[in-house]
Amino acid sequence: MFSSRGLHRMGWAHQTYAEFLSAWYLTQHEIPLTQIKELIFSSEDPDPKLIPQLHETAAWLASIRTDVLLRSDVSTDANVRSSIVDNLLTQYEEEKLWE
């Protein structure tokens, strides 16, 4: 999980570990979606955009939380796709979708 970054220094062996754990932390600590949006979207633009360095963290959030929808590659696994569609329809019916 970790690799040496020099004398007395360690880092993630792969950035994916940090991205997943960030999304997991936000989910486990029940951080509100409005606060997550403030963290992962740029506030410097009148039309907020996802911060490029956080695309993978956002993708992990979308796979962990049912209330997050993103533009991303969708799995080709039929069960995963079915689950995504079911969750999207539920969120739509409950008027909880946001861009």
Side-chain angles (χ1 to χ4, degrees):
M1 230 178 172
F2 299 98
S3 62
S4 176
R5 302 293 165 107
L7 186 62
H8 305 295
R9 295 183 64 205
M10 299 295 285
W12 296 107
H14 197 281
Q15 186 63 24
T16 301
Y17 296 133
E19 294 159 349
F20 167 77
L21 290 172
S22 296
W24 181 84
Y25 178 91
L26 293 170
T27 302
Q28 292 298 307
H29 288 85
E30 299 178 355
I31 305 300
L33 206 49
T34 53
Q35 189 174 354
I36 291 173
K37 189 176 178 182
E38 291 173 8
L39 292 170
I40 65 175
F41 284 87
S42 171
S43 62
E44 296 178 6
D45 194 332
D47 181 28
K49 293 180 178 53
L50 188 61
I51 297 169
Q53 295 86 344
L54 299 176
H55 280 185
E56 293 301 318
T57 301
W60 277 113
L61 277 167
S63 70
I64 295 170
R65 293 179 64 133
T66 59
D67 58 349
V68 176
L69 171 64
L70 303 172
R71 293 182 195 145
S72 63
D73 293 336
V74 177
S75 171
T76 57
D77 181 277
N79 292 328
V80 172
R81 290 171 44 181
S82 175
S83 177
I84 291 171
V85 170
D86 289 342
N87 284 324
L88 286 174
L89 291 173
T90 299
Q91 296 299 317
Y92 175 77
E93 289 171 358
E94 295 175 2
E95 298 179 359
K96 292 184 177 178
L97 295 179
W98 55 272
E99 295 181 36

